[in-house]
Amino acid sequence: MNKLGTPASQRILQTLIDHGYEAYYVGGAVRDFVRGTASADIDIATSATPQEVQKLFPRTVDVGIEFGTILVIIDGTPFEVTTFRNDAFSGRPTLKEDLRRRDFTMNALAYTIDGTLIDYFEGEHDIHAQKIRAVDDPHARMMEDPLRILRACRFMATFQYEIEAGTLKAMQKEANRLQQVAPERMKQEMDRLLMGSHAKEALHLIVTSAIGNALPLFPKKLPMLAYMTPFTSSHEGWAYLCLAGDIHATVLAKAYVLSNEEKSFIQVVEHAFQRRTEDVFTIKDIYQFEADVLFIAEKLYKAYKGERTTCTVQYWQHQKQALPIQSKQELVVNGKDLLQWTNNQQGRWVGEWMTKIEQAVLHGECPNDEQVIKEWFIREFNIER
């Protein structure tokens, strides 16, 4: 088995060990290492207290000292170093006690600096069996942090692992505790779930179990889910949930603390989807909406008809690029030209005629050429006058 970690993280472990402390790689990095995949985050657990860690390294940041976590910066790279956790109020906790407090067996693994895997709870077995199983008592794990209920669903979506029966039973029994969880934390898990390659299975589980009833504004049904998944972005997933639950974007945004950008995006998708239900997208629609909005709206429309869209984001990007102009700013004329050509006073008519010129160029009635636009405008202006 190849070694886990980087030279910088190895230096952190070695420094802690040289000063008489225990230190191990833990968490997702170890899980992914056993799975044979790369992990961006490398976390370290140690018997040293946060204050002791701070004394050993010149560059540290207090990111959660009350929870025992210090950020150690080596060669410009930050690493989370956390003191072993346990339920005792006296004496130093042990690695086994720390791992026992973690959510699932696949995340309760540790790895030594010399390449030894420490597995007290059969996490390696569960990874190879593709099982999501709570450490020890599943009810206790869900009660400690109800967000773990949603995390299990997120891992299901990400890895296509099956949730072990006892763990799922505990998740369903303790589901109402999700109402105690801050919406910001639920939103983070939902973002990751929606981006999972197997989001369909996870969302189906949520809606067919008691879990969905405990989540804010979660749809009771998920029509045409198979035609929508996998989602290309979390934005697409949120837009789908809005339409599936007939929930207004503003209401959902408040419930899950979506950003203003996310809320605005979903609102535009709602508008585009409504347009698509009326007719195929026109040149005006392609001009107005961004390529990803057109893609999602088309995908939603096809899904609700029981079909998969054959269009891609790249297709809509090509359609937009083929337009004569991408925005009104690309017109070679402006309001000053109109005033000069007519000798009229400034007024609302200028903006109205600039919009007419924009649409004429867009629809190929005249090219984006100053002289041709001038001739077109004077002719049409005199006709209407």
Side-chain angles (χ1 to χ4, degrees):
M1 179 180 284
N2 295 325
K3 291 288 186 71
L4 169 64
T6 62
S9 64
Q10 291 272 322
R11 282 164 54 191
I12 295 176
L13 262 68
Q14 193 62 62
T15 299
L16 288 163
I17 293 169
D18 288 346
H19 285 81
Y21 303 110
E22 294 180 62
Y24 308 89
Y25 293 113
V26 292
V30 184
R31 176 199 66 221
D32 292 341
F33 182 73
V34 173
R35 291 181 64 244
T37 61
S39 180
D41 298 321
I42 296 178
D43 296 330
I44 295 168
T46 179
S47 60
T49 65
Q51 293 76 15
E52 289 167 336
V53 172
Q54 287 176 315
K55 291 179 181 178
L56 293 178
F57 300 96
R59 294 192 63 194
T60 63
V61 180
D62 175 4
V63 293
I65 197 167
E66 68 274 20
F67 302 111
T69 301
I70 292 294
L71 208 62
V72 176
I73 302 173
I74 299 289
D75 297 338
T77 303
F79 299 90
E80 281 194 4
V81 179
T82 304
T83 303
F84 293 155
R85 297 167 293 180
N86 71 353
D87 293 316
F89 291 97
S90 61
R92 285 190 183 259
T94 64
L95 173 65
K96 187 173 184 177
E97 290 172 330
D98 176 90
L99 297 177
R100 192 187 301 275
R101 293 277 306 280
R102 295 178 183 265
D103 50 10
F104 308 110
T105 57
M106 63 180 179
N107 295 328
L109 297 167
Y111 193 81
T112 68
I113 193 170
D114 61 3
T116 301
L117 182 69
I118 300 175
D119 182 8
Y120 296 115
F121 305 103
E122 299 184 347
E124 184 179 21
H125 171 272
D126 287 340
I127 288 173
H128 294 313
Q130 299 188 338
K131 290 278 187 181
I132 301 169
R133 180 166 60 91
V135 178
D136 276 359
D137 181 0
H139 292 278
R141 297 292 82 76
M142 303 308 150
M143 291 173 66
E144 286 170 352
D145 185 359
L147 185 66
R148 288 169 172 171
I149 298 168
L150 202 53
R151 277 173 60 82
C153 297
R154 188 253 290 184
F155 286 128
M156 182 182 186
T158 304
F159 301 142
Q160 200 184 11
Y161 284 9
E162 180 183 350
I163 301 176
E164 180 267 335
T167 300
L168 178 58
K169 185 177 180 180
M171 289 164 57
Q172 292 174 303
K173 183 178 180 181
E174 307 298 338
N176 283 337
R177 294 181 182 273
L178 279 167
Q179 298 171 10
Q180 305 168 10
V181 178
E184 294 90 344
R185 298 183 69 211
M186 286 194 285
K187 195 263 182 184
Q188 290 179 343
E189 291 297 333
M190 283 297 299
D191 280 344
R192 296 177 180 180
L193 187 157
L194 293 170
M195 281 299 293
S197 56
H198 301 280
K200 178 181 70 174
E201 291 83 355
L203 290 172
H204 180 74
L205 174 67
I206 289 173
V207 82
T208 56
S209 67
I211 299 170
N213 297 332
L215 292 173
L217 300 178
F218 199 84
K220 301 297 181 184
K221 296 181 179 180
L222 296 174
M224 305 307 170
L225 178 62
Y227 294 102
M228 284 301 299
T229 52
F231 299 116
T232 56
S233 66
S234 60
H235 285 37
E236 181 186 327
W238 287 113
Y240 167 73
L241 292 177
C242 268
L243 290 167
D246 193 22
I247 308 165
H248 194 276
T250 303
V251 178
L252 190 74
K254 183 176 181 181
Y256 285 95
V257 199
L258 303 185
S259 68
N260 289 333
E261 185 271 332
E262 288 170 319
K263 180 178 70 174
S264 297
F265 182 85
I266 296 170
Q267 288 173 327
V268 175
V269 170
E270 287 177 328
H271 181 203
F273 175 71
Q274 182 58 43
R275 274 285 305 115
R276 184 62 183 89
T277 60
E278 298 166 358
D279 200 355
V280 295
F281 284 132
T282 63
I283 290 177
K284 184 177 179 181
D285 296 320
I286 296 172
Y287 181 67
Q288 176 184 358
F289 298 116
E290 295 297 329
D292 52 352
V293 171
L294 292 164
F295 167 74
I296 295 172
E298 181 71 18
K299 187 177 180 181
L300 283 164
Y301 175 75
K302 291 286 188 175
Y304 275 80
K305 288 178 65 67
E307 304 172 13
R308 286 192 180 276
T309 182
T310 57
C311 298
T312 62
V313 174
Q314 290 72 26
Y315 168 82
W316 292 112
Q317 288 173 339
H318 178 75
Q319 293 298 304
K320 289 185 70 68
Q321 290 168 359
L323 296 175
I325 56 173
Q326 300 299 312
S327 69
K328 184 179 289 188
Q329 285 67 40
E330 292 187 9
L331 290 173
V332 296
V333 301
N334 55 42
K336 292 182 179 179
D337 295 315
L338 272 57
L339 293 173
Q340 181 181 352
W341 295 338
T342 61
N343 291 319
N344 282 2
Q345 295 295 315
Q346 179 71 266
R348 183 189 298 177
W349 70 271
V350 176
E352 293 173 348
W353 273 99
M354 282 301 299
T355 298
K356 291 178 182 180
I357 293 171
E358 177 187 23
Q359 292 302 311
V361 172
L362 183 62
H363 288 84
E365 295 179 32
C366 67
N368 191 24
D369 177 271
E370 182 177 357
Q371 186 59 38
V372 178
I373 290 176
K374 179 180 179 180
E375 293 171 0
W376 179 92
F377 164 70
I378 292 174
R379 181 177 66 252
E380 296 297 320
F381 183 78
N382 289 330
I383 290 173
E384 289 199 15
R385 190 171 56 176

